[in-house]
Amino acid sequence: MKTLLSLFCLVTYLTCALSANGWPVSLDMACNKALSTVACSFEFTNNANEDLYLLKRNTPLEGLNSQFVSVSLDGRPLEYEGIYIYRLPPTKDEFVLLKAGESISATVQITDAFSIDTDGLYTVQYSRPLQYLSVNEMSVMSVDQLRESIVRESVHIHLERTHLLLRPKKEKVEFDYTVYIESCTAAEFNGNRENNVTLAAHKKLCAGIDKAKGRVGNNNLYVTWFGAYTEAREKTVKKVYSSMRSKLESTSVTYYNNGPKCEGKPRAVAYTYRPSKVVYLCEAFYRLPLACSGTSSTKEGTLVHEWAHAFADRSDEGYGPDNCKGFARDDPDKAINNADNFKYHYCESQ
């Protein structure tokens, strides 16, 4: 099948190499168990007849910093326990040049993000599209025109003695002081980095969530960010807002300045885990404006995005207003599962 697709790409260059529905970049993967880890290798090959710039973000080429694979045991999915990073649009240094016909590979330990503790047959499936630009597109840095190559690769591996495998580790948090406020309970801080501004954004959340939830219904704002209206989807969206609201009000949350995993990721704004009561702030966060302003990146919107992960179990299906509107238009269920869709709906509700 792969050979046929590669030939199809070479013969129908304009369709395949330049269309999100083609397969200009293919993937081969394999997984093996060592004594205490399960490592998976990934090899990406440029099948097009032109050089491409492949985005390393959300792939194993930058390590296990996002959920680009899903893992299941006998058909039952395992919970992803890795980080969710919110980032600004990519810059050129986040791409790798993959010449026509060339390959690039990387290996990650999936036991860093999945708890594998039962013997049996596991399936590891690649679960994100690969994003790329042509050389001409890169020359003008058209990141809003990122193309996608869909991959459908998976491997099966039978694992025994899984009690010997390492478990995912979360970062230890020690907070320096607590600020008690009237809205959204208490906020704890690790370190001191413009904490008064972060606190100002935090204070907006409860009233802002109430306002956003009040605007959930069969209206243009809802359709723009969550797609075709149904009562069932409306109920889900309101439940997400209610979960965020109640947990912010009943939980003493922590903002960790200069999160350890921000290092080496200049476009990272913030990250968290799912579930968690900690949001880790990165360098780019401190440069954002405070309050929501349309679809612009702001501190307030970032916090909504992160708490949608940590408190309401939302995923990272994609980022940016164009992608989020596309989800709403083409796949409403994906839209209501995406943290960024809630960020945009929240901010445009204010």
Side-chain angles (χ1 to χ4, degrees):
M1 183 66 176
K2 278 187 191 175
T3 301
L4 289 175
L5 288 176
S6 297
L7 288 173
F8 177 80
C9 288
L10 291 171
V11 173
T12 59
Y13 162 70
L14 289 177
T15 300
C16 184
L18 300 181
S19 169
N21 294 322
W23 298 268
V25 184
S26 63
L27 167 67
D28 280 311
M29 57 183 288
C31 296
N32 296 284
K33 177 180 177 294
L35 180 63
S36 60
T37 64
V38 176
C40 293
S41 60
F42 304 84
E43 183 178 72
F44 303 98
T45 301
N46 179 1
N47 296 311
N49 58 355
E50 68 167 334
D51 299 345
L52 300 174
Y53 279 92
L54 181 63
L55 181 63
K56 294 182 288 185
R57 180 185 294 189
N58 299 322
T59 79
L61 298 175
E62 66 158 6
L64 192 46
N65 291 318
S66 61
Q67 187 178 3
F68 49 78
V69 294
S70 59
V71 181
S72 59
L73 170 61
D74 297 327
R76 299 186 301 275
L78 274 61
E79 182 78 16
Y80 170 71
E81 300 176 48
I83 62 175
Y84 291 86
I85 307 178
Y86 171 55
R87 298 190 255 200
L88 299 176
T91 52
K92 187 173 182 177
D93 61 352
E94 291 186 72
F95 292 80
V96 60
L97 177 61
L98 196 57
K99 292 183 177 295
E102 287 191 350
S103 300
I104 189 171
S105 61
T107 300
V108 298
Q109 295 178 356
I110 62 171
T111 37
D112 288 344
F114 296 91
S115 292
I116 298 176
D117 53 14
T118 303
D119 293 1
L121 181 64
Y122 286 81
T123 300
V124 183
Q125 180 164 1
Y126 205 89
S127 56
R128 294 191 78 120
L130 303 175
Q131 296 183 301
Y132 66 94
L133 292 171
S134 69
V135 173
N136 287 339
E137 290 164 340
M138 177 59 76
S139 67
V140 294
M141 200 57 200
S142 303
V143 294
D144 56 337
Q145 300 295 323
L146 277 170
R147 302 182 186 277
E148 293 189 344
S149 182
I150 307 301
V151 293
R152 294 282 186 266
E153 190 73 14
S154 62
V155 297
H156 302 287
I157 178 171
H158 189 273
L159 297 176
E160 298 179 347
R161 304 181 71 190
T162 52
H163 64 282
L164 298 176
L165 294 174
L166 296 173
R167 302 290 182 262
K169 294 180 180 179
K170 289 190 172 62
E171 295 158 90
K172 294 182 179 180
V173 176
E174 296 179 1
F175 57 89
D176 295 336
Y177 60 90
T178 302
V179 178
Y180 294 94
I181 54 181
E182 294 180 2
S183 176
C184 285
T185 189
E188 300 168 342
F189 289 88
N190 180 286
N192 190 355
R193 180 77 187 273
E194 301 179 21
N195 290 347
N196 59 325
V197 184
T198 302
L199 186 61
H202 176 83
K203 287 180 178 180
K204 291 176 172 289
L205 297 183
C206 280
I209 289 172
D210 289 341
K211 192 170 183 179
K213 182 180 175 183
R215 297 194 64 181
V216 175
N218 193 5
N219 54 56
N220 289 336
L221 180 64
Y222 175 94
V223 172
T224 297
W225 299 113
F226 298 120
Y229 173 84
T230 67
E231 290 186 0
R233 292 195 191 106
E234 176 192 27
K235 184 177 180 181
T236 298
V237 172
K238 285 185 173 179
K239 183 178 179 181
V240 169
Y241 277 130
S242 294
S243 179
M244 293 168 63
R245 176 68 164 82
S246 64
K247 290 180 180 177
L248 280 168
E249 192 169 44
S250 62
T251 305
S252 183
V253 303
T254 298
Y255 293 109
Y256 191 120
N257 287 293
N258 303 312
K261 292 191 176 180
C262 299
E263 187 175 353
K265 305 177 186 69
R267 304 295 284 173
V269 179
Y271 67 91
T272 190
Y273 294 84
R274 193 176 68 175
S276 178
K277 66 173 188 176
V278 183
V279 167
Y280 300 83
L281 306 177
C282 302
E283 184 64 34
F285 175 83
Y286 309 109
R287 299 194 295 268
L288 296 179
L290 169 61
C292 280
S293 177
T295 58
S296 300
S297 294
T298 63
K299 290 182 173 69
E300 183 181 4
T302 296
L303 298 188
V304 171
H305 178 109
E306 294 305 303
W307 294 124
H309 288 311
F311 285 157
D313 205 31
R314 299 301 92 183
S315 296
D316 274 336
E317 303 284 357
Y319 306 91
D322 291 341
N323 277 335
C324 290
K325 287 178 180 178
F327 295 152
R329 181 184 62 250
D330 302 328
D331 193 344
D333 289 334
K334 182 177 285 189
I336 66 175
N337 189 48
N338 189 42
D340 230 25
N341 282 72
F342 280 88
K343 179 191 74 176
Y344 290 121
H345 179 268
Y346 169 97
C347 281
E348 292 211 326
S349 297
Q350 305 308 305

